[in-house]
Amino acid sequence: DAGVIQSPRHEVTEMGQEVTLRCKPISGHNSLFWYRQTMMRGLELLIYFNNNVPIDDSGMPEDRFSAKMPNASFSTLKIQPSEPRDSAVYFCASSFRGDRGSPLHFGNGTRLTVT
Amino acid sequence: GENVEQHPSTLSVQEGDSAVIKCTYSDSASNYFPWYKQELGKGPQLIIDIRSNVGEKKDQRIAVTLNKTAKHFSLHITETQPEDSAVYFCAAFASSNTGKLIFGQGTTLQVKP
């Protein structure tokens, strides 16, 4: 089991550029989550999918953020245009939502720096 | 919605001592409470979890207790070692949807050798 795989590990970009973060969940998991971590706000849930369908995107900060899950093994989080305040570590996590309360397995994150 | 409060924000102990981290939650319908450990440059890793039908759970040096009436749960680490130094997060599932996990603010634990 390779775990949740995120790419890239680090991304440095200039304000106004488009950024795409990628995630491959654990095989067999049917729920996928995108979290953002900052010193000020801690771990914030941005959006999560169940069986590839977005269930709750109330944490997505603005229309500049969008997420897709075209199939069970791949998801993207896109920021367009990026701003310096988007700088954070973005985590993807997956779980098997067999019942209420399933452990989330996190990737090692993408550290995004927007200058 | 669910809100999770975690204390303390930082904790420093001597190697061999015990460490306790406490969390409270607001949603009485929450019934699953995991704890995560995050090391530098890595994602949070599940270390122990507890469900609401259990009051205490132990795994070697780590234990978690749950008081549903008071809506609080705690992580206990005994015989701490330098490798226990990390950031620890508690979490609770929001009742609005079974998939949504809400995290506490985190506790930075430092174990001094």
Side-chain angles (χ1 to χ4, degrees), chain A residues 33 35 37 48 56 97 101, chain B residues 38 51 97-101:
Chain A
F33 306 78
Y35 281 85
Q37 185 176 40
Y48 77 95
D56 185 344
R97 188 184 160 184
Chain B
Q38 186 177 23
R51 298 185 186 274
N97 189 297
T98 60
K100 197 168 180 175
L101 189 61

Side-chain angles (χ1 to χ4, degrees), chain B residues 27-102:
Chain B
D27 189 343
S28 57
S30 294
N31 68 356
Y32 176 65
F33 308 92
W35 284 87
Y36 286 81
K37 176 183 180 182
Q38 186 177 23
E39 297 175 324
L40 202 61
K42 296 186 177 180
Q45 300 295 311
L46 179 72
I47 55 172
I48 195 168
D49 55 11
I50 190 168
R51 298 185 186 274
S52 58
N53 58 346
V54 175
E56 182 176 0
K57 183 177 179 181
K58 285 188 72 173
D59 183 2
Q60 300 183 344
R61 297 185 297 107
I62 295 174
V64 57
T65 58
L66 171 66
N67 183 328
K68 281 216 74 180
T69 303
K71 291 190 285 188
H72 66 70
F73 55 114
S74 301
L75 178 71
H76 305 253
I77 306 175
T78 58
E79 301 172 27
T80 53
Q81 302 167 2
E83 51 266 36
D84 294 330
S85 297
V87 181
Y88 291 81
F89 293 94
C90 63
F93 268 89
S95 64
S96 60
N97 189 297
T98 60
K100 197 168 180 175
L101 189 61
I102 306 300

Side-chain angles (χ1 to χ4, degrees), chain A residues 13-42:
Chain A
T13 191
E14 293 183 346
M15 181 174 64
Q17 297 297 306
E18 177 180 295
V19 175
T20 299
L21 311 181
R22 297 173 175 80
C23 175
K24 177 177 168 52
I26 292 173
S27 176
H29 283 187
N30 58 359
S31 293
L32 183 140
F33 306 78
W34 283 100
Y35 281 85
R36 178 172 66 177
Q37 185 176 40
T38 60
M39 288 294 293
M40 291 298 293
R41 301 174 70 89

